C-alpha cells in the first residue's frame, strides 16, 4: 500500500487513520530549531465528517487512502440503497444510507452529484447546489400576498421541508439551495 | 491599486526597521560585518538542515560542495578570535525544510556578539532593542527554564520529571494525540510540553525571557559555573513565538570539537547526512582563542511581523518561498 511521509502532508491529502479514510484540512509544521520537528494536523474523517487533530513526529508515515471524487448521475432508491451511475462508462454504484444520510432529501433522479468513492464504494454524496423540486404540501397562502414576509413551511416531493413565501402553492416547482436548505425562487 | 499601495507601505516600514536596527548598533559602536553565505563547512546541529550547492572553482576539475549558512555564527566567531571587537550581521540565512507561517527557508537574521558581556548583560540589550522598535511599552517576564515549567506546566522540577509526568501534562492541557513518540523518550515528551503547552503562552502580554536552559540543550553556550545542570543560554518569546536565542559563549576550543563530534555522532545514528566541520573556526579557537563574549541571533522577519501585527511572516517579505 502506498504511504505518505509527513514531508508530503498538505491540505486535501487523503490518508487512512484507524482504517477510515481522512482528508487533511490543515497542516502546520513545527520546527523548534533546537528540537525534533512535528506536524500539527487537522483532518476530516470522510465517513463521519468529524474534524480531528493529531500531531505527527516528523518522518512518520501514514497509509494512503484510495479516495476519488467523481460526478455520478443519481438513478433511484430501492428502499435500501441509493443507486448512481457513471454517465460515460455506465458503471453503477450503490450507496448505503450512511453515505447519503445528510443529503438524501436533496437527491433528484437524473441529477448529477459529486460522489466520493473509497475503495470504489460511495462514502459521501454532494448534490448540485441548486435543485428544482415540486411542492406537495403547504398551507394555502393568501392570494395576492407578494410581500414575502414571514413565509410558511412547505413539503417538497423528496420529503424535504423548507420555508417558502406565502404566495407559493401546492403543485408549483421551486428552486432550492441544498447547502443552506433554503428556498431560492419559483422555477420557470 | 490598493494592494500596490499596501505593498509600498510594508516595504517602507521594513526599510525603516532595518535602518533603525542598524542605527541601534552604530550608536553603540558595534561594527556591521558581511560574512560569507557559502561555506565549505556546515553546522553539525542535528536539527538544522543546511542547503548544499555545487561550485565550479577555477583550477579544480570537479565541482566543489559548499553549504549555505544557517547562521553567520562560525565566521563571526572567527572574526572575534582575530580581534574584530563587537560585531553584528544583518542578512539572509537558510534552513532547508523549515516552512510555515513563522518560518521561511530563506530568512533575515540579526546576529550580534558583545565582548565582556555576560548572558544577563546581553538579555538587557536584546530587550532594549525590541523596546526600541516596538514603541508601546512592553511587560518583561524573566523566568529560568525550571521556573517556566513550574509556572506554565505545573511541573516543579523539570530536571527530574518522568515521561509519564510530561504525557499527563499534555493530556491535562487538551493537547491532541501525538503520533510517533516512544513512551520512554523523556527528552522528546519534555520538548512537546514546551512547544505544545508552554510556548504558546509565553510573551502574550509583552516579552518573556527564558534563561538557564538545560545543559543538554547548551549548543555552544557555557555551562553555568554554579549549576552544572544548566547552560548560560536564553531565549526571547513574544506572542508565543521564539524571537531570539542567545548564549554566553563557550570559549574552550576542546569543548567545541567535542560538542561538534557529539552532534556528528547523533547525525550518524539518525541516518542524517554528515557534514564537514568548520576546521577554520576550530583552528582559530585553539590558536587565538575566543574572547569572553555573549552572542544572540534574532529573527528579523518575526520581529517585523510582531511590530506590524502580521499573522504570517511572509506578509512582511517582498517575496516568500512560493513566489521567489
Amino acid at each position: 500500500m502506498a504511504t505518505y511521509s509527513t514531508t508530503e502532508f498538505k491540505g486535501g491529502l487523503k490518508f487512512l487513520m484507524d482504517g477510515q479514510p481522512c482528508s487533511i484540512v490543515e497542516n502546520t509544521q513545527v520546527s523548534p530549531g533546537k528540537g525534533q520537528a512535528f506536524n500539527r494536523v487537522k483532518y476530516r474523517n470522510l465517513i463521519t465528517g468529524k474534524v480531528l487533530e493529531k500531531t505527527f513526529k516528523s518522518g512518520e508515515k501514514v497509509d494512503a487512502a484510495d479516495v476519488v471524487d467523481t460526478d455520478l448521475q443519481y438513478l433511484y432508491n430501492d428502499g435500501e440503497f441509493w443507486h448512481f451511475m457513471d454517465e460515460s462508462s455506465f458503471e453503477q454504484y450503490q450507496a448505503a444510507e450512511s453515505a447519503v444520510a445528510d443529503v438524501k432529501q436533496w437527491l433528484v433522479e437524473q441529477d448529477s452529484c459529486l460522489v466520493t468513492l473509497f475503495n470504489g464504494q460511495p462514502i459521501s454524496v454532494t448534490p448540485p447546489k441548486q435543485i428544482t423540486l415540486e411542492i406537495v404540501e403547504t398551507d394555502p397562502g393568501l392570494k395576492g400576498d407578494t410581500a414575502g414576509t414571514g413565509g410558511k413551511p412547505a413539503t417538497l416531493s423528496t420529503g424535504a421541508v423548507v420555508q417558502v413565501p406565502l404566495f407559493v402553492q401546492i403543485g408549483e416547482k421551486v428552486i432550492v439551495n441544498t447547502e443552506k436548505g433554503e428556498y431560492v425562487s419559483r422555477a420557470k | 491599486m490598493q494592494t500596490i499601495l499596501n505593498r509600498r507601505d510594508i516595504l517602507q516600514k521594513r526599510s525603516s526597521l532595518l535602518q533603525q536596527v542598524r542605527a541601534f548598533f552604530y550608536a553603540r559602536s558595534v561594527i556591521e560585518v558581511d560574512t560569507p553565505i557559502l561555506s565549505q563547512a556546515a553546522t553539525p546541529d542535528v536539527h538544522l538542515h543546511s542547503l548544499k550547492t555545487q561550485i565550479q572553482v577555477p583550477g579544480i576539475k570537479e565541482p566543489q560542495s559548499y553549504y549555505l549558512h544557517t547562521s553567520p555564527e562560525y565566521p563571526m566567531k572567527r572574526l572575534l578570535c582575530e580581534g574584530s571587537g563587537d560585531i553584528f550581521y544583518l542578512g539572509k540565512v537558510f534552513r532547508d525544510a523549515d516552512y510555515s507561517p513563522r518560518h521561511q527557508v530563506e530568512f533575515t537574521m540579526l546576529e550580534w556578539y558583545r565582548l565582556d558581556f555576560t548572558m544577563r548583560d546581553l538579555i538587557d540589550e536584546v530587550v532594549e532593542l525590541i523596546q526600541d522598535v516596538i514603541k508601546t511599552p512592553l511587560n518583561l517576564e524573566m523566568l529560568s527554564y525550571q521556573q517556566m515549567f513550574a509556572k506554565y506546566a505545573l511541573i516543579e522540577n523539570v530536571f527530574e520529571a518522568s515521561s509519564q509526568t510530561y504525557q499527563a501534562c499534555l493530556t491535562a492541557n487538551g493537547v491532541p494525540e501525538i503520533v510517533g513518540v516512544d513512551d520512554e523518550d523523556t527528552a522528546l515528551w519534555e520538548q512537546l510540553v514546551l512547544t505544545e503547552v508552554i510556548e504558546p503562552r509565553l510573551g502574550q502580554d509583552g516579552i518573556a525571557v527564558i534563561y538557564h536552559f538545560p545543559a543538554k540543550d547548551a549548543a555552544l553556550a557555557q555551562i553555568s559555573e554554579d549549576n552544572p545542570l544548566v547552560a548560560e543560554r536564553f531565549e526571547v518569546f513574544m506572542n508565543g513565538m521564539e524571537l531570539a536565542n542567545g548564549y554566553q559563549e563557550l570559549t574552550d576550543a576542546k569543548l567545541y570539537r567535542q560538542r561538534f563530534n557529539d552532534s556528528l555522532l547523533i547525525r550518524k545514528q539518525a541516518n542524517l547526512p554528515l557534514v564537514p566541520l568548520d576546521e577554520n573556526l576550530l583552528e582559530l579557537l585553539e590558536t587565538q582563542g575566543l574572547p569572553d563574549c555573549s552572542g544572540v541571533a534574532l529573527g528579523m522577519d518575526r520581529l517585523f511581523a510582531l511590530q506590524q501585527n502580521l499573522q504570517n511572516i511572509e506578509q512582511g517579505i517582498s517575496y516568500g518561498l512560493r513566489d521567489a
Side-chain angles (χ1 to χ4, degrees):
Chain A
M1 184 178 286
T3 58
Y4 297 118
S5 159
T6 52
T7 55
E8 296 169 272
F9 282 12
K10 61 175 178 181
L13 186 83
K14 309 284 194 301
F15 67 102
L16 282 177
M17 180 57 70
D18 305 322
Q20 300 209 308
C22 299
S23 173
I24 292 181
V25 177
E26 202 180 304
N27 168 55
T28 310
Q29 203 193 319
V30 188
S31 313
K34 62 180 171 305
Q36 173 79 43
F38 281 85
N39 289 59
R40 288 194 193 116
V41 180
K42 263 190 206 167
Y43 62 95
R44 188 186 308 281
N45 179 313
L46 294 174
I47 291 183
T48 63
K50 275 194 189 138
V51 174
L52 304 155
E53 285 182 60
K54 272 192 180 36
T55 297
F56 293 80
K57 185 173 150 188
S58 170
E60 285 295 301
K61 288 188 168 74
V62 292
D63 288 330
D66 177 19
V67 173
V68 286
D69 288 331
T70 182
D71 284 316
L72 299 180
Q73 189 185 55
Y74 171 58
L75 299 177
Y76 63 96
N77 167 232
D78 64 11
E80 187 183 3
F81 291 105
W82 282 255
H83 296 260
F84 293 86
M85 183 184 70
D86 184 321
E87 286 179 84
S88 50
S89 70
F90 303 106
E91 192 174 347
Q92 293 201 16
Y93 297 86
Q94 50 182 31
E97 165 91 27
S98 59
V100 297
D102 299 336
V103 299
K104 59 186 179 187
Q105 60 179 349
W106 307 126
L107 293 179
V108 177
E109 291 174 10
Q110 315 300 322
D111 272 1
S112 178
C113 299
L114 184 71
V115 178
T116 303
L117 301 172
F118 169 53
N119 292 336
Q121 288 295 314
I123 53 167
S124 85
V125 174
T126 308
K129 193 175 169 188
Q130 294 201 344
I131 57 172
T132 303
L133 289 170
E134 188 182 328
I135 294 185
V136 294
E137 199 185 317
T138 191
D139 286 340
L142 297 171
K143 273 227 152 58
D145 173 13
T146 55
T149 51
K152 59 182 179 180
T155 306
L156 308 174
S157 50
T158 56
V161 177
V162 295
Q163 285 292 120
V164 298
L166 297 176
F167 58 80
V168 180
Q169 303 299 332
I170 293 174
E172 281 192 84
K173 288 193 170 170
V174 293
I175 296 172
V176 179
N177 178 314
T178 59
E179 288 172 359
K180 299 178 184 166
E182 282 174 4
Y183 166 91
V184 176
S185 67
R186 280 167 152 162
K188 297 213 169 83
Chain B
M1 195 60 195
Q2 188 60 35
T3 51
I4 292 169
L5 284 176
N6 285 345
R7 191 152 181 83
R8 173 150 175 95
D9 188 40
I10 282 284
L11 289 173
Q12 182 67 61
K13 283 172 172 159
R14 191 173 170 104
S15 168
S16 300
L17 177 63
L18 295 172
Q19 189 180 17
Q20 215 177 339
V21 166
R22 288 195 161 99
F24 180 91
F25 290 109
Y26 294 167
R28 286 165 168 74
S29 301
V30 180
I31 298 174
E32 178 163 8
V33 292
D34 191 8
T35 53
I37 284 174
L38 293 169
S39 170
Q40 297 166 80
T43 174
D45 190 309
V46 186
H47 301 295
L48 297 181
H49 309 292
S50 302
L51 288 164
K52 191 177 177 182
T53 188
Q54 299 294 314
I55 294 185
Q56 193 69 61
V57 182
I60 304 178
K61 189 178 172 198
E62 297 301 327
Q64 302 294 298
S65 288
Y66 274 71
Y67 296 87
L68 275 63
H69 66 173
T70 58
S71 116
E73 180 171 3
Y74 301 162
M76 287 182 90
K77 283 183 171 169
R78 283 169 68 188
L79 293 174
L80 290 161
C81 287
E82 290 170 346
S84 67
D86 296 327
I87 48 175
F88 79 96
Y89 171 92
L90 177 53
K92 291 298 177 74
V93 297
F94 305 84
R95 294 183 181 181
D96 199 9
D98 282 357
Y99 186 69
S100 72
R102 53 176 67 174
H103 285 102
Q104 287 279 325
V105 169
E106 167 183 349
F107 63 102
T108 302
M109 182 177 270
L110 168 66
E111 184 155 331
W112 75 98
Y113 290 85
R114 298 289 252 139
L115 299 191
D116 298 318
F117 265 42
T118 61
M119 176 180 75
R120 183 59 221 234
D121 295 333
L122 190 57
I123 289 174
D124 289 344
E125 193 166 64
V126 174
V127 171
E128 250 180 273
L129 173 77
I130 295 170
Q131 194 60 79
D132 199 54
V133 300
I134 298 184
K135 300 294 183 195
T136 47
L138 297 162
N139 291 324
L140 175 62
E141 177 172 52
M142 291 263 291
L143 294 172
S144 72
Y145 187 83
Q146 187 168 9
Q147 289 167 339
M148 167 183 74
F149 267 81
K151 177 172 178 183
Y152 291 102
L154 306 177
I155 293 171
E156 286 301 325
N157 190 349
V158 69
F159 298 103
E160 287 175 8
S162 68
S163 175
Q164 286 69 32
T165 304
Y166 294 123
Q167 292 183 44
C169 172
L170 290 164
T171 309
N173 282 280
V175 173
E177 189 193 332
I178 288 155
V179 180
V181 182
D182 289 343
D183 252 6
E184 294 313 312
D185 195 341
T186 310
L188 198 43
W189 288 110
E190 175 186 332
Q191 181 201 313
L192 284 159
V193 169
L194 181 61
T195 59
E196 306 306 299
V197 177
I198 301 175
E199 283 188 2
R201 301 183 194 168
L202 295 179
Q204 283 303 347
D205 60 348
I207 306 173
V209 177
I210 309 301
Y211 58 93
H212 284 169
F213 274 75
K216 66 177 161 58
D217 297 326
L220 296 177
Q222 277 185 21
I223 302 300
S224 295
E225 278 174 9
D226 44 359
N227 182 358
L229 285 180
V230 302
E232 298 292 301
R233 171 179 187 164
F234 68 95
E235 290 189 0
V236 180
F237 288 83
M238 285 184 72
N239 212 3
M241 178 166 71
E242 183 196 334
L243 184 59
N245 172 18
Y247 320 137
Q248 189 162 324
E249 300 293 344
L250 188 68
T251 53
D252 186 325
K254 284 198 186 100
L255 286 179
Y256 270 86
R257 193 176 284 279
Q258 192 183 315
R259 291 193 194 172
F260 283 169
N261 283 332
D262 290 348
S263 294
L264 283 180
L265 192 64
I266 303 173
R267 276 187 173 262
K268 205 169 177 178
Q269 285 160 352
N271 278 324
L272 290 168
L274 298 182
V275 294
L277 297 181
D278 194 332
E279 293 295 341
N280 290 325
L281 170 66
L282 288 166
E283 190 189 324
L284 268 175
L285 287 168
E286 267 169 42
T287 56
Q288 304 288 318
L290 184 70
D292 283 335
C293 64
S294 289
V296 61
L298 183 150
M300 282 296 291
D301 305 312
R302 291 184 180 182
L303 181 62
F304 186 54
L306 287 165
Q307 189 201 42
Q308 298 301 324
N309 264 319
L310 308 175
Q311 297 308 307
N312 185 332
I313 63 167
E314 196 166 75
Q315 294 170 282
I317 293 171
S318 46
Y319 300 104
L321 185 69
R322 296 264 161 98
D323 302 315

